[in-house]
Amino acid sequence: MSVESPKTLIQVARTSGETDVVPPIDLGARVRELRKARKWTLEQAAKQAGLARSTLSKIENGQMSPTYDALKKLAVGLEISVPQLFTPPAADKITGRMALTKSGEGAAKATTTYEHELLADTLRKKQMLPYRARIRARAMEEFNGWVRHDGEEFLYVLTGVIRLYTEFYEPVDMRRGDSAYYDAAMGHNVISISHEDATILWVTSLV
């Protein structure tokens, strides 16, 4: 079983997979798309925005670069913000991705204080990192300072009793069925205060 820190696991998960490339926005096509989504004719959209029909036609066909004043009028007429004119629509597709992890078959990673079982490890470019952890630590002194990393984190106690330490709050004891959601950039550590090692489900955001 390899020994890694939770921070390293999260860094690896964040950098795995290919980088998305966002194509440049065709303003004219975007304006036309927004107009047609509202089922407006050129005349209706131009009137709504307070622009001449010919001006709007030239913008949609890429024959004219609108001034900022014209962009503001367009945004007001379309009832959106100016930045939304340059924001591509969300991709309307279903990826169908799924990863099944049978009990005990997750990728095992260990630290001096936790034993992690990574779940859905075969999926790349995840937006969440789910893993089950066995809490071996029994005292804060076993940690080399606070654990902290970007993103937000959710933990759910599966077995045993834990004590959650956070940088800005008093320690809290948690039992089976208890959960916590917190800013992971805030220092945090978990110890088991039951006789046996406690187990928890951890889900860390990767975006």
Side-chain angles (χ1 to χ4, degrees), residues 136-172:
R136 302 193 299 193
R138 291 299 194 277
M140 278 287 286
E141 291 71 26
E142 297 180 47
F143 294 90
N144 183 24
W146 290 112
V147 172
R148 62 173 88 244
H149 46 84
D150 293 338
E152 296 182 320
E153 200 156 69
F154 173 80
L155 75 79
Y156 182 93
V157 183
L158 298 172
T159 65
V161 185
I162 67 167
R163 180 165 294 153
L164 171 62
Y165 289 89
T166 52
E167 193 172 5
F168 305 130
Y169 298 88
E170 290 296 317
V172 59

Side-chain angles (χ1 to χ4, degrees), residues 18-68:
E18 299 175 358
T19 302
D20 289 331
V21 177
V22 179
I25 289 295
D26 181 335
L27 179 61
R30 175 71 170 144
V31 171
R32 186 185 304 111
E33 176 189 53
L34 291 166
R35 171 176 66 79
K36 289 187 174 181
R38 289 158 176 74
K39 297 183 173 16
W40 290 348
T41 63
L42 266 173
E43 289 82 359
Q44 289 172 317
K47 182 178 180 181
Q48 190 78 8
L51 296 171
R53 180 191 181 285
S54 59
T55 299
L56 181 57
S57 177
K58 289 177 181 178
I59 291 172
E60 286 194 1
N61 290 299
Q63 298 171 349
M64 172 188 225
S65 296
T67 63
Y68 184 70

